[in-house]
Amino acid sequence: KWDADLLPIIPQEVKYKCARGKNEQFKAIKACLKRASRVVIATDGDREGEAIARICLEHAGYKGELARAWMTSTDEETVQEALSDLRRADNYFLLGQAARGRAFTDWLLGMNVSRALASKLKNKTTFKVAYGRVQTPALHILIKRELEIKNFKPQTHYDVEGTFGNHEGTFVGKWIKPEEVLASNGLLMDS
């Protein structure tokens, strides 16, 4: 229910489930994990990759040995290097936890701030309101740029170029203007 009186919404526990259409794929992974005594985590070498692997292993109930193949590319040479230099998986546990913490914080902010804004702006706007850690600043950048384009007024400004040469040939040189001759917009406005 989108009611400001119910905010903040803070769940007691976080539960994961397979994305729509991925249940069969996860069942196959889980079946393989039941037979495995050792797993090499070879997801992307970042916190998101680590979190995906850890969540899958946790959801499948895997309790065996873990190793980590650390790579940031999937070309054959890099993969072979990573597989020949396996690392202790527990060294990367906190990396996955960081991603999970970020994801949960994103969810909390999105859920609570979006609902608070929607409640506050109810009947005051014709568009839907949503907040996201990445989405909101990205939209701000896009809107700001769109307004700059819409409100653009051409201004006459100057560059200084010269053609120079000697017995070996010619070239065009451009004057690198010192800051003290530039207007606040970074352009040379006076000739």
Side-chain angles (χ1 to χ4, degrees):
K1 187 175 176 185
W2 286 65
D3 183 348
D5 294 334
L6 299 174
L7 298 176
I9 298 169
I10 303 174
Q12 296 302 307
E13 66 178 310
V14 177
K15 293 183 179 182
Y16 292 91
K17 66 179 187 175
C18 285
R20 192 174 308 139
K22 303 295 182 189
N23 280 329
E24 291 305 312
Q25 184 179 7
F26 184 72
K27 282 180 187 175
I29 292 169
K30 192 172 178 178
C32 290
L33 288 172
K34 283 184 180 179
R35 298 188 311 270
S37 59
R38 182 176 189 222
V39 168
V40 175
I41 298 173
T43 54
D44 287 348
D46 59 20
R47 62 185 185 183
E48 302 303 324
E50 192 68 26
I52 290 167
R54 298 294 180 141
I55 290 166
C56 287
L57 292 167
E58 183 181 294
H59 198 63
Y62 180 76
K63 303 281 188 219
E65 185 184 337
L66 287 176
R68 184 61 157 111
W70 187 258
M71 60 192 131
T72 55
S73 179
T74 56
D75 62 272
E76 189 173 343
E77 183 181 338
T78 303
V79 171
Q80 289 300 325
E81 268 181 42
L83 290 173
S84 67
D85 182 29
L86 294 179
R87 302 176 182 188
R88 291 175 46 129
D90 57 347
N91 290 345
Y92 299 90
F93 175 76
L94 292 178
L95 194 63
Q97 291 297 93
R100 289 171 90 160
R102 187 225 22 95
F104 183 62
T105 302
D106 285 353
W107 184 90
L108 277 176
L109 286 170
M111 182 64 64
N112 288 290
V113 175
S114 294
R115 288 176 181 237
L117 287 171
S119 296
K120 187 78 171 168
L121 298 173
K122 196 175 192 175
N123 302 324
K124 294 180 184 169
T125 181
T126 57
F127 57 88
K128 291 187 178 184
V129 177
Y131 170 85
R133 177 182 58 88
V134 175
Q135 161 191 305
T136 301
L139 283 173
H140 173 75
I141 291 167
L142 289 172
I143 290 168
K144 184 178 173 190
R145 183 64 182 138
E146 182 63 29
L147 289 172
E148 287 171 356
I149 292 167
K150 182 179 176 185
N151 297 323
F152 176 75
K153 303 272 188 283
Q155 296 177 303
T156 301
H157 62 278
Y158 303 92
D159 277 323
V160 179
E161 289 183 356
T163 303
F164 302 89
N166 62 21
H167 65 280
E168 293 184 14
T170 62
F171 69 93
V172 175
K174 188 172 182 178
W175 181 44
I176 299 173
K177 301 172 283 293
E179 283 190 35
E180 59 268 11
V181 301
L182 302 178
S184 61
N185 60 7
L187 300 173
L188 179 62
M189 304 304 287
D190 296 321
S191 57

